[in-house]
Amino acid sequence: MKFKSVFDIIGPVMIGPSSSHTAGAARIGRVARDLFGRQPQWAKVHLYGSFAETYKGHSTDVAIIGGLLDYDTFDERIKTSFEEADKAGMSYEFIPETGHVDHPNTARIVIGDQDSEMSMMGISIGGGKIEITELNGFPLRLSGNHPAILVVHEDRSGCIANVANCLYKYDINIGHMEVSRKERGHMALMVIEVDQNVDKEVMDELKKLPNITQVTRIAD
């Protein structure tokens, strides 16, 4: 077996006790916050498989809340994230589920505020690594290891080309891209992993493109 780096073997720098149940959970929570774009006022966390069975003993619960508070995996404040969430005015609820999922370390995080809400499903695949597998009902595959742009758009010809041309204009290289849709001719989602962080100027231009509904980003 080949490893890309030492972190593939020993996992990330993190608050323990488990790279998959703690560090991975924190990263899932933090990606959810990044995609929501701000501090949520409430969170409902649905836990499946091993997450549902051991979330208290392995600190999966405090890790996810820490991620929603924008704490990195090594941030000591993860240990007191419940208290920090209370201070920030964010309510939270954990819901162990018994339904079948494809991966044992799965969490569905539903977050929101007075303006909107968002649903995201993520899995912790070991060594602190994660994959985001669903966003607001759209299937996707997002590692969270690279800067990314997510574009919600109408399923119309030219949308993908317009977004790609905009990124080309700013010399932003695409490392991975996929598109999913719920139904032909309705809403669709582009997931684009890129080689560098995308600044506000690019985001603003993407939002002005025809048939684009929403643009969010995940920074490195």
Side-chain angles (χ1 to χ4, degrees), residues 13-16 22-23 25-27 59-84:
V13 177
M14 66 174 195
I15 302 299
T22 312
R27 293 195 64 213
S59 299
T60 304
D61 48 3
V62 295
I64 288 177
I65 297 304
L68 290 173
L69 293 170
D70 204 27
Y71 300 163
D72 209 335
T73 55
F74 52 79
D75 196 317
E76 291 285 340
R77 292 175 295 176
I78 285 179
K79 297 177 181 178
T80 58
S81 63
F82 285 174
E83 291 83 353
E84 298 298 326

Side-chain angles (χ1 to χ4, degrees), residues 18 24 55 71 83 130 177:
S18 166
Y55 70 96
Y71 300 163
E83 291 83 353
I130 67 168
M177 180 178 182

